[in-house]
Amino acid sequence: MTVLLEVTNLRTEFNARAGLVRAVDGVSLRVSRGECLGVVGESGSGKSVTFSSVMGLVRSPGRVTQGTIFFDGRNLRDLSSEEMRAIRGRDIAMTMQDALTALNPALTVGEQLAEVLEAHDETLPSSGSARRAAIRDRSVEMLGLVGIPSPDTRLRQYPHEFSGGMRQRIMIAIALACRPKLLIADEPTTALDVTIQAQVLELITDIRERLGMAVVLITHDLGVVAEHCDRVMVMYAGQVVEEGPTDQVIGQPRHPYTRGLLASIPRPALRGQPLTPISGQVPDLVGLPPQCRFHSRCPLARPECLVEVPMRDAGPGRRARCLRLEDVE
C-alpha cells in the first residue's frame, strides 16, 4: 500500500515550571492509505500529543522542535498556518476524546456541520440558495451515514439533546463531512458504555471500508486494537516501544511493556485469578537521562540497559525498543 502519512524523528517539548518536558521524543511512524493504525499506551504516554503535532494543534508553551511530517507527499512543517488550516478538516480530520466538550453547545448540529462544509468543501455551488441547499443535503447525508435517525429534523437540535453515543456519532459525522483521506480518532469511546462503544467502533470500521480512508485509532484498550486495527504502535513515556502487525504484536509481544499491558487485561479464561499489574510508576518526563525509560519497571532490567535504546528489528515488519529482545521471544 502507498504511504499516506510518514512521521520521522518527531520531538514535541513543553516548557514547564519544573523544567523541559519532552512529551514526544523521537517518534517515527507510517500510515498507509486505507489502513487502520492502533496507537496504544497509558495516559501520558504521548499518544494524543503526537497526533496533535501532526495536525499542527500544539499550543504554547508546547512546540514541535524536531522531525518531519509528510502527508500525501507534502511536509506539513513547511506549510503556513493558512495552508495547514486548509488541510485540517478537508484532508485530515480528528475527533476529540469528549464529544460533549468538543461540540459547541450554543450551535445546532446542523450549524456545526455547515461550518465545516463552508470552510473546506470546494465541490459546493459558489453562492446563493443552491449552496445552502447543497450544504443541508450533505449534512443530512452525513448524519444518516453515522446512523442518526431522522437526520433532517435532528439537524435543528443542540448537542445536549443527544445521548453520549449519538454525540460521538455527530462528531464523527463532522470529521467525515469533507471525506478526509485520514481520520484520527482520539479515544472515540471515552465515557460510553460497552454496547455503545462497540457500535461506534463498528461504525468507524464500516465507514473506513466504504470511503477507503486511513484511520489512526488512539486508545488504551488493546482489545479494541485487536479487533479493529491492521497494525499497532505501542507508546511509553513519549517514545514508541513496539510496532508491527496487530496479530503478531498481540500474539507474541517482544517488548516487556507490551507484555505487561497484555498481562493486565482481564480475560474470561482467567476468571477468579488475580490480574498482574505493571509494577512501579511512569517516570517523570522532566530531565530524563538517555536510558531505557521502562528500566525502573522492567522485570528483565539489567545495568547494561541504562543507555539510550534505539528501535531494533524484531522480525518482518516489526520493531521494538529493547536491548533484550532475545529474552522475550
Side-chain angles (χ1 to χ4, degrees):
M1 291 187 289
T2 307
V3 175
L4 178 64
L5 173 68
E6 183 168 16
V7 176
T8 304
N9 203 22
L10 180 67
R11 177 178 290 166
T12 303
E13 300 176 339
F14 291 82
N15 287 316
R17 289 184 179 180
L20 186 67
V21 177
R22 286 183 178 169
V24 177
D25 191 6
V27 168
S28 297
L29 63 95
R30 288 185 175 187
V31 182
S32 297
R33 296 180 188 274
E35 82 165 340
C36 183
L37 173 69
V39 183
V40 182
E42 294 170 271
S43 297
S45 61
K47 307 184 300 295
S48 297
V49 178
T50 295
F51 289 93
S52 293
S53 302
V54 169
M55 295 283 285
L57 295 176
V58 176
R59 296 182 178 180
S60 181
R63 65 193 187 281
V64 177
T65 60
Q66 177 181 294
T68 58
I69 305 169
F70 277 90
F71 176 78
D72 207 14
R74 304 173 72 188
N75 188 353
L76 300 187
R77 292 199 64 199
D78 290 341
L79 303 185
S80 66
S81 297
E82 187 173 325
E83 289 171 321
M84 275 303 300
R85 197 175 300 116
I87 287 176
R88 286 193 296 265
R90 184 188 66 197
D91 296 321
I92 310 176
M94 187 172 186
T95 64
M96 302 303 179
Q97 292 187 24
D98 188 347
L100 182 59
T101 57
L103 295 171
N104 190 330
L107 298 178
T108 66
V109 167
E111 288 171 326
Q112 295 182 64
L113 273 162
E115 188 175 42
V116 173
L117 292 167
E118 284 276 10
H120 298 292
D121 195 332
E122 298 174 352
T123 67
L124 295 170
S126 58
S127 61
S129 59
R131 184 177 180 85
R132 291 192 295 272
I135 288 174
R136 178 178 173 79
D137 289 345
R138 178 68 68 80
S139 298
V140 170
E141 176 192 354
M142 293 311 301
L143 288 188
L145 182 68
V146 299
I148 302 292
S150 306
D152 52 338
T153 59
R154 304 210 76 176
L155 279 177
R156 297 189 292 271
Q157 293 184 315
Y158 292 86
H160 74 270
E161 298 180 78
F162 293 84
S163 67
M166 287 296 179
R167 286 195 295 268
Q168 197 69 49
R169 287 170 181 263
I170 290 165
M171 197 158 61
I172 293 170
I174 292 171
L176 299 179
C178 296
R179 301 291 200 273
K181 298 173 184 176
L182 172 65
L183 172 67
I184 300 170
D186 190 356
E187 298 280 8
T189 57
T190 296
L192 302 180
D193 64 51
V194 175
T195 302
I196 303 301
Q197 284 183 24
Q199 292 175 3
V200 169
L201 292 167
E202 288 295 339
L203 170 66
I204 292 173
T205 298
D206 179 57
I207 293 176
R208 173 172 75 96
E209 292 171 351
R210 279 199 270 171
L211 301 184
M213 68 180 179
V215 173
V216 171
L217 183 59
I218 302 172
T219 180
H220 61 276
D221 191 335
L222 276 167
V224 166
V225 169
E227 189 170 352
H228 296 279
C229 299
D230 303 307
R231 290 191 307 113
V232 60
M233 182 176 87
V234 182
M235 293 191 68
Y236 181 78
Q239 296 181 331
V240 179
V241 296
E242 184 164 3
E243 64 176 350
T246 301
D247 57 344
Q248 295 180 30
V249 171
I250 291 179
Q252 190 179 23
R254 301 299 304 279
H255 195 280
Y257 177 61
T258 311
R259 291 169 66 99
L261 287 179
L262 288 164
S264 63
I265 297 174
R267 292 182 176 85
L270 301 178
R271 185 185 298 274
Q273 298 183 29
L275 296 177
T276 308
I278 301 174
S279 62
Q281 300 293 325
V282 177
D284 188 343
L285 296 183
V286 176
L288 272 178
Q291 66 182 43
C292 172
R293 297 189 173 182
F294 192 59
H295 180 271
S296 64
R297 309 175 73 187
C298 181
L300 301 177
R302 297 291 186 273
E304 55 266 30
C305 299
L306 292 173
V307 296
E308 190 167 2
V309 181
M311 291 290 282
R312 299 174 60 201
D313 181 33
R318 296 187 61 181
R319 298 192 306 156
R321 192 181 298 273
C322 183
L323 295 180
R324 308 195 64 200
L325 292 180
E326 296 75 14
D327 298 327
V328 287
E329 291 194 36

